[in-house]
PDB file of all heavy atoms in Angstrom:
ATOM      1  N   GLN A1378      -3.104   9.829   5.428  1.00 84.00           N
ATOM      2  CA  GLN A1378      -2.255   9.622   6.601  1.00 84.00           C
ATOM      3  C   GLN A1378      -2.875  10.205   7.861  1.00 84.00           C
ATOM      4  O   GLN A1378      -2.667   9.691   8.958  1.00 84.00           O
ATOM      5  CB  GLN A1378      -0.884  10.243   6.372  1.00 84.00           C
ATOM      6  CG  GLN A1378      -0.043   9.478   5.397  1.00 84.00           C
ATOM      7  CD  GLN A1378       1.273  10.162   5.105  1.00 84.00           C
ATOM      8  OE1 GLN A1378       1.484  11.320   5.467  1.00 84.00           O
ATOM      9  NE2 GLN A1378       2.166   9.443   4.437  1.00 84.00           N
ATOM     10  N   ARG A1379      -3.615  11.266   7.729  1.00 84.00           N
ATOM     11  CA  ARG A1379      -4.240  11.909   8.888  1.00 84.00           C
ATOM     12  C   ARG A1379      -5.606  11.306   9.217  1.00 84.00           C
ATOM     13  O   ARG A1379      -6.364  11.838   9.996  1.00 84.00           O
ATOM     14  CB  ARG A1379      -4.433  13.405   8.630  1.00 84.00           C
ATOM     15  CG  ARG A1379      -3.162  14.152   8.347  1.00 84.00           C
ATOM     16  CD  ARG A1379      -2.528  14.627   9.639  1.00 84.00           C
ATOM     17  NE  ARG A1379      -1.470  15.575   9.373  1.00 84.00           N
ATOM     18  CZ  ARG A1379      -0.186  15.241   9.382  1.00 84.00           C
ATOM     19  NH1 ARG A1379       0.170  14.013   9.626  1.00 84.00           N
ATOM     20  NH2 ARG A1379       0.730  16.144   9.141  1.00 84.00           N
ATOM     21  N   LYS A1380      -5.927  10.186   8.569  1.00 83.00           N
ATOM     22  CA  LYS A1380      -7.205   9.482   8.758  1.00 83.00           C
ATOM     23  C   LYS A1380      -8.397  10.360   8.371  1.00 83.00           C
ATOM     24  O   LYS A1380      -9.470  10.279   8.949  1.00 83.00           O
ATOM     25  CB  LYS A1380      -7.374   9.006  10.195  1.00 83.00           C
ATOM     26  CG  LYS A1380      -6.266   8.148  10.715  1.00 83.00           C
ATOM     27  CD  LYS A1380      -6.283   6.785  10.088  1.00 83.00           C
ATOM     28  CE  LYS A1380      -5.321   5.875  10.826  1.00 83.00           C
ATOM     29  NZ  LYS A1380      -4.308   5.310  10.008  1.00 83.00           N
ATOM     30  N   LEU A1381      -8.178  11.229   7.396  1.00 79.00           N
ATOM     31  CA  LEU A1381      -9.259  12.069   6.880  1.00 79.00           C
ATOM     32  C   LEU A1381      -9.724  11.549   5.522  1.00 79.00           C
ATOM     33  O   LEU A1381     -10.184  12.294   4.680  1.00 79.00           O
ATOM     34  CB  LEU A1381      -8.783  13.520   6.748  1.00 79.00           C
ATOM     35  CG  LEU A1381      -8.384  14.195   8.052  1.00 79.00           C
ATOM     36  CD1 LEU A1381      -7.803  15.570   7.781  1.00 79.00           C
ATOM     37  CD2 LEU A1381      -9.567  14.301   8.979  1.00 79.00           C
ATOM     38  N   TRP A1382      -9.618  10.217   5.327  1.00 76.00           N
ATOM     39  CA  TRP A1382      -9.988   9.623   4.060  1.00 76.00           C
ATOM     40  C   TRP A1382     -11.454   9.832   3.732  1.00 76.00           C
ATOM     41  O   TRP A1382     -11.848   9.807   2.579  1.00 76.00           O
ATOM     42  CB  TRP A1382      -9.656   8.126   4.051  1.00 76.00           C
ATOM     43  CG  TRP A1382     -10.137   7.407   5.271  1.00 76.00           C
ATOM     44  CD1 TRP A1382      -9.426   7.183   6.409  1.00 76.00           C
ATOM     45  CD2 TRP A1382     -11.428   6.865   5.490  1.00 76.00           C
ATOM     46  NE1 TRP A1382     -10.200   6.527   7.324  1.00 76.00           N
ATOM     47  CE2 TRP A1382     -11.439   6.307   6.782  1.00 76.00           C
ATOM     48  CE3 TRP A1382     -12.583   6.778   4.717  1.00 76.00           C
ATOM     49  CZ2 TRP A1382     -12.549   5.691   7.308  1.00 76.00           C
ATOM     50  CZ3 TRP A1382     -13.692   6.158   5.249  1.00 76.00           C
ATOM     51  CH2 TRP A1382     -13.664   5.616   6.535  1.00 76.00           C
ATOM     52  N   TRP A1383     -12.281  10.074   4.723  1.00 83.00           N
ATOM     53  CA  TRP A1383     -13.702  10.298   4.494  1.00 83.00           C
ATOM     54  C   TRP A1383     -13.948  11.644   3.816  1.00 83.00           C
ATOM     55  O   TRP A1383     -15.033  11.874   3.270  1.00 83.00           O
ATOM     56  CB  TRP A1383     -14.475  10.216   5.807  1.00 83.00           C
ATOM     57  CG  TRP A1383     -13.917  11.111   6.877  1.00 83.00           C
ATOM     58  CD1 TRP A1383     -12.952  10.812   7.771  1.00 83.00           C
ATOM     59  CD2 TRP A1383     -14.282  12.465   7.130  1.00 83.00           C
ATOM     60  NE1 TRP A1383     -12.690  11.885   8.573  1.00 83.00           N
ATOM     61  CE2 TRP A1383     -13.489  12.914   8.212  1.00 83.00           C
ATOM     62  CE3 TRP A1383     -15.203  13.337   6.562  1.00 83.00           C
ATOM     63  CZ2 TRP A1383     -13.596  14.199   8.717  1.00 83.00           C
ATOM     64  CZ3 TRP A1383     -15.309  14.618   7.066  1.00 83.00           C
ATOM     65  CH2 TRP A1383     -14.512  15.033   8.128  1.00 83.00           C
ATOM     66  N   MET A1384     -12.941  12.538   3.819  1.00 82.00           N
ATOM     67  CA  MET A1384     -13.103  13.834   3.157  1.00 82.00           C
ATOM     68  C   MET A1384     -12.785  13.780   1.671  1.00 82.00           C
ATOM     69  O   MET A1384     -13.126  14.694   0.934  1.00 82.00           O
ATOM     70  CB  MET A1384     -12.195  14.872   3.819  1.00 82.00           C
ATOM     71  CG  MET A1384     -12.648  15.268   5.201  1.00 82.00           C
ATOM     72  SD  MET A1384     -11.627  16.577   5.863  1.00 82.00           S
ATOM     73  CE  MET A1384     -12.171  17.947   4.875  1.00 82.00           C
ATOM     74  N   ILE A1385     -12.140  12.705   1.218  1.00 79.00           N
ATOM     75  CA  ILE A1385     -11.734  12.599  -0.175  1.00 79.00           C
ATOM     76  C   ILE A1385     -12.922  12.701  -1.127  1.00 79.00           C
ATOM     77  O   ILE A1385     -12.855  13.455  -2.104  1.00 79.00           O
ATOM     78  CB  ILE A1385     -10.893  11.323  -0.394  1.00 79.00           C
ATOM     79  CG1 ILE A1385      -9.563  11.452   0.349  1.00 79.00           C
ATOM     80  CG2 ILE A1385     -10.653  11.065  -1.878  1.00 79.00           C
ATOM     81  CD1 ILE A1385      -8.736  10.183   0.377  1.00 79.00           C
ATOM     82  N   PRO A1386     -14.040  12.002  -0.903  1.00 86.00           N
ATOM     83  CA  PRO A1386     -15.182  12.167  -1.827  1.00 86.00           C
ATOM     84  C   PRO A1386     -15.746  13.587  -1.843  1.00 86.00           C
ATOM     85  O   PRO A1386     -16.120  14.100  -2.907  1.00 86.00           O
ATOM     86  CB  PRO A1386     -16.225  11.186  -1.304  1.00 86.00           C
ATOM     87  CG  PRO A1386     -15.462  10.200  -0.510  1.00 86.00           C
ATOM     88  CD  PRO A1386     -14.285  10.926   0.050  1.00 86.00           C
TER      89      PRO A1386
END
Side-chain angles (χ1 to χ4, degrees):
Q1378 288 176 348
R1379 301 272 192 260
K1380 305 288 191 238
L1381 297 174
W1382 48 267
W1383 53 271
M1384 289 185 72
I1385 293 172

